[in-house]
Amino acid sequence: DAAIYALLARDLPLELEIARLFSGIQGALVFALQAPPSRNRPQARTLFEEFVRQKGYPLNDLWPLYSGTGTPLSKIRNSIVHGEAFSEGEFMALSYAAENLQWHLERIILIALGWDIEKSAVSGKALNHYYAYHWQKEQNVLDARSSAHPSNL
């Protein structure tokens, strides 16, 4: 439910959209891996790593969720959840981050349903036409923030 709701919820503040999409990713990963219900919800990173291992998830073109160079999307989500404030100059970077989270979520759902990503609207070829697909410059904006203020991000 969280995954679909995150995709359908519109007109939210950007920070709330990012938190909601990240929650949707976690829900989609639980569904995709058919993780048995438990009292403690598995950590999203653990689920994601298992998903990548099992499904061969194509992720090298999107803004990284957890690792890679620069500020990962998970760090942005954590900053939002812990009440960090973002400047107006960082709005575009947050917007690109939200788009990339949405594409991650859509790909996870499609893979879980057995669809070929290359034949979808979230393939690299299709996304190449969107500004947010070229996210590296905007990630650098948040990297600079992290370097200038180590407590942030």
Side-chain angles (χ1 to χ4, degrees), residues 100-137:
N100 276 264
L101 279 168
Q102 180 174 333
W103 296 330
H104 274 289
L105 178 53
E106 290 176 13
R107 283 184 179 181
I108 290 167
I109 291 169
L110 289 174
I111 290 169
L113 296 173
W115 289 55
D116 181 358
I117 295 300
E118 292 309 311
K119 296 179 181 175
S120 76
V122 288
S123 70
K125 184 178 178 181
L127 294 178
N128 193 43
H129 301 288
Y130 292 89
Y131 289 114
Y133 186 68
H134 307 282
W135 48 268
Q136 293 83 354
K137 181 179 174 187

Side-chain angles (χ1 to χ4, degrees), residues 24-150:
I25 287 171
Q26 188 174 9
L29 290 168
V30 168
F31 168 77
L33 296 171
Q34 297 296 298
S38 71
R39 291 187 144 191
N40 299 324
R41 192 171 188 184
Q43 288 189 345
R45 182 178 191 143
T46 303
L47 291 168
F48 183 71
E49 289 169 353
E50 181 63 20
F51 183 77
V52 169
R53 189 185 70 71
Q54 283 186 24
K55 310 288 185 179
Y57 178 66
L59 57 93
N60 55 350
D61 58 328
L62 298 179
W63 190 325
L65 279 173
Y66 293 101
S67 58
T69 58
T71 303
L73 294 170
S74 60
K75 213 168 187 184
I76 298 168
R77 178 255 178 217
N78 291 344
S79 295
I80 290 168
V81 168
H82 293 289
E84 302 270 343
F86 290 88
S87 70
E88 286 183 40
E90 296 164 331
F91 177 80
M92 188 62 70
L94 291 177
S95 176
Y96 279 33
E99 287 289 326
N100 276 264
L101 279 168
Q102 180 174 333
W103 296 330
H104 274 289
L105 178 53
E106 290 176 13
R107 283 184 179 181
I108 290 167
I109 291 169
L110 289 174
I111 290 169
L113 296 173
W115 289 55
D116 181 358
I117 295 300
E118 292 309 311
K119 296 179 181 175
S120 76
V122 288
S123 70
K125 184 178 178 181
L127 294 178
N128 193 43
H129 301 288
Y130 292 89
Y131 289 114
Y133 186 68
H134 307 282
W135 48 268
Q136 293 83 354
K137 181 179 174 187
E138 295 304 325
Q139 184 191 43
N140 291 338
V141 169
L142 297 178
D143 291 345
R145 166 196 171 98
S146 183
S147 297
H149 306 285

